[in-house]
Amino acid sequence: MVIRSRRIGNEETTSFWGLSVQDEKAIVLILTACANKVPIMKCIGESCGMHSEAQGILLSMPIDSVAGI
């Protein structure tokens, strides 16, 4: 699932971790089995991670249940 988003806030918030935050961005949600997490994150990180032109941020969260997809 891809969610289009816009940044709303002050400059203090955007420089919290010393990162430059773009006004518009996409949030990509991937729901997968735990066993697939690391290979997927490695692949995305290589092409779209912080050390790429995209400078994307990856994070993983455990999901116990899902409603409303």
Side-chain angles (χ1 to χ4, degrees):
M1 174 186 301
V2 177
I3 301 170
R4 303 283 176 204
S5 64
R6 286 185 157 298
R7 177 181 61 86
I8 299 173
N10 60 25
E11 293 305 314
E12 265 183 48
T13 305
T14 60
S15 61
F16 180 69
W17 286 320
L19 300 172
S20 172
V21 180
Q22 297 175 355
D23 287 336
E24 295 185 18
K25 56 192 144 273
I27 300 170
V28 179
L29 303 174
I30 300 171
L31 186 60
T32 186
C34 187
N36 298 330
K37 178 184 78 171
V38 173
I40 290 172
M41 290 185 75
K42 282 183 179 179
C43 184
I44 293 171
E46 289 171 3
S47 59
C48 303
M50 286 297 292
H51 300 291
S52 71
E53 185 178 338
Q55 295 185 332
I57 298 173
L58 300 167
L59 65 106
S60 171
M61 298 176 2
I63 304 294
D64 294 329
S65 63
V66 176
I69 290 185

